[in-house]
Amino acid sequence: MKLVIAEYLRSLKERDELDRLLPDLLVEMDYIPVARPQTGNRQYGVDIAFRGRDSESGLDELLLVVVKQGDIGRTEWDGGNQSVRQSINEIFDVYLKSHLEPQDHDRSIRIVVATNGELKQTVHSNWSGFVIDNKARACIEFWGADTIAKLIEIHLLDEHIFLDEDRRDLRRALALSGDSEYDRQDLYRLFKRSLDLNDEGRLTDKPKTGKALLKALRIVNLSAQMFAYWTLRDDGDTRQGLCAVERATLWTWHRICLADERDKQSAIVGPLRQIWWIYYRFTVQYHARIQPYCFVENSIIRYASNGVESSLIAFEQIGILASIALFQIFSAISEGSKKTDEKNTFWEENANIVIQTLESWLQNNGASSSPCLDRQSQDIHLALIALLGLSRTETAKEWLKKLFRNVDYALKAKKFVPIATDSLDDLVEEGGWLGGQATERMTETSWMLATFAGWSVILGMDEMYEVLAQNVRDQYPGVCIQLWHPEKDLYQHLYFQPAHSESGVAEAPIQLPATASEYRQQMQMICESGFGKVLLESPAAQSGLMALDFIAYRHFSTPVPPVFWYSLMDNAAGDKQVGFS
């Protein structure tokens, strides 16, 4: 296990990755934080400061950590302002003289140089001499990847919480991380055991509390990180990593919601904030991998053997890019409510980068307008919400026109229809995608047509709505148009599993009135009904984490509640920016 952890550590960057893992480790070693890593602040050599008791000597000490990345050779040891020797000298010359609190004056000082590499043989003599020369001032130690891996195994993954079966499941999951067909069930079993959740998402008989719960959350976080970074290797599948990090984030929040208020607040401040950041970091890397393909015309055709595969790939990426953009949008809204303009701008700029990638994907891939599954309407909702959130109204309108044109043709011709089931076998045999016509069973119900009807009203495309309403009556009257509306028990299921399978009611059949103004009134009535109150009860939204709801909608293929996108009617009609108004 130590070798697995060490290899993972070597993949971490110094800033925002290794320096976010080390504080969790030190907390588990019973140290108390004095200062955690902060970007942009002058640190005078110290990246992390903790108080505690040395387990070997028994002395109270101040532990000062200097975090570096990679191996330490001659250049890294003494080659400039950011070198190890310079950092330690700055601790002696400045930090220890001006930054010590009164309670720390009588503590022994231990300085640790922590890196995810090793100390090269070429600087061993220099290091030993420096340590000996300064032993009267402080105890100086080097923690390389192997040392940190051993400490993680002892303190974070101890045998009382991280059981033998957890180790087996994690090793199996890592071994299969490069397989695009892998279902990640080994990893998910580990998550559920750590979080004390049964298969229905309810707590087991003796759930952890207090420090044990926080430790379990950190184990889920670490396991998800290790799996995700394994998928970033040359033979990995980054979609697997994204799914793992999403599941860890959602189940962590689900478990926090089941805890008492004291444990809940501790978990939000600690482990949840950590995995929230890990999700952001991984989405940045995922976006960097897919972005070049989005600006090349029909790039997905090279990897797809037929139209079905092209459609599946196209809408999967649409949903992923949209959910990443929405994560950025809602993070900006949250920071805006705190009046932190700098962070607000950071999230807004990132959201615009992702939405530009999504726009290019839609424009360069014709399959992006030809859905093959009715449930891909969920990806369409996410993308349209994201586009409106960043004032890409014209892009949204053009895409919606293409979608309606293609689906309208498919239903008339009974070929290439978005089928009402989720079965790929049905898609091939009865969907009319690989020859022949679609069967009536494949078009019995449709969320897709309800999606087009609602969004045409939201975007002020009344003419398109009226054509759709007429064709529903005249061209394909046998299709039952429907939508799913959540009820107040939504949040018992949303973060753990497909919520629409456990909660809510169907609105069916929906009879589309002849004019857009009439349907607009119906939509308004839904917004003002009890369904509208459900969204206000979101525990994620109440904690400033609204993005979690949208990650859950995509991850579990739960339909986005109509009351949310219905509520955008006024914004879209005036071409206002939903996310940053």
Side-chain angles (χ1 to χ4, degrees), residues 143-440:
W143 290 2
D146 291 336
T147 301
I148 297 173
K150 182 178 179 181
L151 292 171
I152 288 174
E153 189 174 26
I154 293 171
H155 297 283
L156 265 177
L157 306 181
D158 70 83
E159 67 276 10
H160 298 297
I161 290 185
F162 201 69
L163 308 175
D164 286 344
E165 55 190 331
D166 295 328
R167 296 168 189 266
R168 285 195 298 270
D169 281 342
L170 180 57
R171 283 195 290 264
R172 190 181 300 113
L174 295 177
L176 295 171
S177 63
D179 183 354
S180 60
E181 301 299 321
Y182 178 47
D183 61 7
R184 303 171 296 281
Q185 288 306 310
D186 304 296
L187 191 65
Y188 295 164
R189 279 197 301 272
L190 188 163
F191 289 173
K192 283 191 284 190
R193 279 196 299 269
S194 299
L195 298 173
D196 306 308
L197 297 172
N198 63 22
D199 290 340
E200 288 74 43
R202 292 190 286 269
L203 290 177
T204 54
D205 292 339
K206 295 181 179 180
K208 303 177 189 72
T209 59
K211 289 185 177 180
L213 174 59
L214 296 181
K215 190 169 202 172
L217 295 174
R218 291 189 183 102
I219 285 175
V220 170
N221 182 357
L222 179 60
S223 302
Q225 285 185 67
M226 291 173 66
F227 181 86
Y229 278 100
W230 240 252
T231 68
L232 291 173
R233 299 187 302 180
D234 291 340
D235 60 345
D237 183 344
T238 50
R239 293 176 306 163
Q240 292 280 14
L242 180 64
C243 288
V245 173
E246 285 179 341
R247 184 66 64 95
T249 304
L250 292 169
W251 279 5
T252 293
W253 177 245
H254 178 78
R255 179 63 178 86
I256 289 170
C257 289
L258 296 175
D260 62 33
E261 195 60 32
R262 182 176 179 180
D263 285 345
K264 182 176 180 179
Q265 292 306 315
S266 299
I268 290 174
V269 171
L272 183 69
R273 188 188 338 182
Q274 175 77 351
I275 201 163
W276 188 260
W277 186 253
I278 293 303
Y279 172 80
Y280 161 70
R281 294 289 300 174
F282 195 81
T283 59
V284 169
Q285 295 182 74
Y286 184 91
H287 175 261
R289 285 209 170 186
I290 191 176
Q291 188 182 35
Y293 299 97
C294 297
F295 291 86
V296 178
E297 189 173 1
N298 291 321
S299 57
I300 60 173
I301 301 300
R302 303 175 189 178
Y303 305 98
S305 58
N306 53 53
V308 169
E309 196 171 350
S310 294
S311 179
L312 292 172
I313 294 171
F315 281 89
E316 179 182 38
Q317 298 307 324
I318 289 169
I320 290 173
L321 289 171
S323 63
I324 294 173
L326 287 167
F327 171 80
Q328 309 276 7
I329 290 172
F330 285 112
S331 295
I333 293 172
S334 178
E335 294 298 339
S337 66
K338 300 173 188 175
K339 298 183 179 179
T340 51
D341 293 340
E342 184 176 341
K343 288 186 178 179
N344 188 334
T345 301
F346 166 81
W347 291 115
E348 184 175 350
E349 288 175 350
N350 284 340
N352 275 293
I353 291 171
V354 176
I355 212 69
Q356 287 169 9
T357 302
L358 175 58
E359 285 185 290
S360 296
W361 181 266
L362 297 177
Q363 292 163 5
N364 289 319
N365 293 282
S368 297
S369 301
S370 296
C372 64
L373 299 173
D374 195 46
R375 67 171 171 81
Q376 289 171 332
S377 59
Q378 296 153 23
D379 300 311
I380 294 171
H381 287 303
L382 293 172
L384 289 172
I385 293 168
L387 288 166
L388 258 66
L390 291 162
S391 295
R392 291 340 196 256
T393 306
E394 288 307 312
T395 300
K397 288 181 177 180
E398 287 301 314
W399 184 43
L400 188 62
K401 285 179 187 176
K402 293 178 183 177
L403 285 164
F404 172 59
R405 180 195 65 201
N406 290 347
V407 173
D408 180 60
Y409 167 80
L411 290 171
K412 290 175 182 175
K414 297 188 182 300
K415 290 186 176 184
F416 312 111
V417 299
I419 65 170
T421 73
D422 290 340
S423 169
L424 297 185
D425 290 335
D426 287 346
L427 187 60
V428 172
E429 295 169 6
E430 301 183 55
W433 279 81
L434 299 179
Q437 288 192 319
T439 64
E440 290 186 6

Side-chain angles (χ1 to χ4, degrees), residues 518-534:
E518 292 175 276
Y519 196 56
R520 187 175 287 108
Q521 290 176 0
Q522 290 186 21
M523 293 165 64
Q524 192 61 46
M525 289 174 61
I526 294 290
C527 290
E528 294 169 359
S529 71
F531 295 129
K533 297 176 182 178
V534 172

